[in-house]
Amino acid sequence: MRLRIGPIRIGQGWDVHRLIEARPLILGGVTVPSPKGLDGHSDADILAHAITDAILGAIANGDIGLHFPNTDPRWKDVDSMRFLEHACSLATAAGYRIVNVDSTVILEKPKLKDYRDPIRQKLAGTMNLEVSQVSVKFKTAEERGPVGRGETAEAQAVVLLEATPDSN
Ligand code: C5P
Ligand code: MG
């Protein structure tokens, strides 16, 4: 499905999942040591989900739940980087390539900054981008609200796409 509507497209994505014990904390396909991890039907990788939705938004092709319903047993505990890979292939099919991705994970603890580059590398590898095209930022919620109490974590992402040179 080729879009061919404009030379550039912007998309945004957001996700939230509950934090519980006995689940791994997986962000951008990287497992981060933590007493609590994200609960969900898939591996609940909020960062992968937010970026996937940003890409789908940029090509106006629904959202992650349209393509990967959380009622479908095929997606139980699945690696969410597969969703991201699929969104990238839809963008390519629509005649676009990613210029850059910017994202924020909002999580009270643990500290994530030591994992920034491994996460960027993993995301870039999956999206077939240079690491310099992928930004990942971290924030706490200043001990306020469900994120601040460590009950949930959130991720936000924006993505810019440009038409591939051969699309007309
Ligand atoms: O939320 P706050 O402004 O206090 O975060 C300060 C810095 O701490 C962030 O810019 C980020 O580099 C780091 N951080 C982190 N892991 C978190 C939250 C914040 O490494 N879970
Ligand atoms: Mg999700």
Side-chain angles (χ1 to χ4, degrees):
M1 178 204 61
R2 288 218 147 205
L3 272 180
R4 293 184 298 149
I5 304 170
I8 56 170
R9 308 274 302 187
I10 192 169
Q12 68 85 223
W14 174 85
D15 198 19
V16 60
H17 278 257
R18 288 186 303 146
L19 279 168
I20 60 164
E21 284 165 17
R23 282 274 294 195
L25 177 61
I26 301 171
L27 294 168
V30 173
T31 302
V32 176
S34 169
K36 282 181 171 182
L38 293 159
D39 190 25
H41 184 69
S42 67
D43 66 2
D45 183 339
I46 46 174
L47 181 55
H49 293 183
I51 298 173
T52 299
D53 261 359
I55 295 167
L56 293 173
I59 58 170
N61 191 343
D63 58 24
I64 197 167
L66 176 76
H67 297 274
F68 303 101
N70 64 7
T71 47
D72 189 330
R74 276 181 302 166
W75 315 127
K76 179 99 184 79
D77 296 325
V78 78
D79 178 357
S80 295
M81 298 300 269
R82 282 178 57 193
F83 304 160
L84 183 56
E85 217 167 5
H86 184 67
C88 288
S89 66
L90 290 174
T92 303
Y96 288 89
R97 67 183 178 196
I98 295 170
V99 177
N100 74 305
V101 177
D102 186 19
S103 63
T104 304
V105 175
I106 308 133
L107 175 79
E108 204 64 23
K109 56 187 177 194
K111 283 284 176 205
L112 296 167
K113 57 182 165 28
D114 291 346
Y115 297 89
R116 192 189 321 272
D117 286 339
I119 292 171
R120 291 175 70 208
Q121 280 158 14
K122 180 78 178 181
L123 288 168
T126 299
M127 292 187 281
N128 208 9
L129 299 174
E130 300 293 327
V131 173
S132 60
Q133 292 172 283
V134 182
S135 160
V136 180
K137 310 188 302 300
F138 307 117
K139 294 300 283 182
T140 68
E142 295 285 345
E143 299 179 356
R144 294 295 178 270
V147 176
R149 289 190 295 271
E151 296 165 12
T152 61
E154 300 181 7
Q156 304 173 349
V158 288
V159 63
L160 187 71
L161 306 185
E162 66 180 355
T164 44
D166 63 342
S167 66
N168 46 45

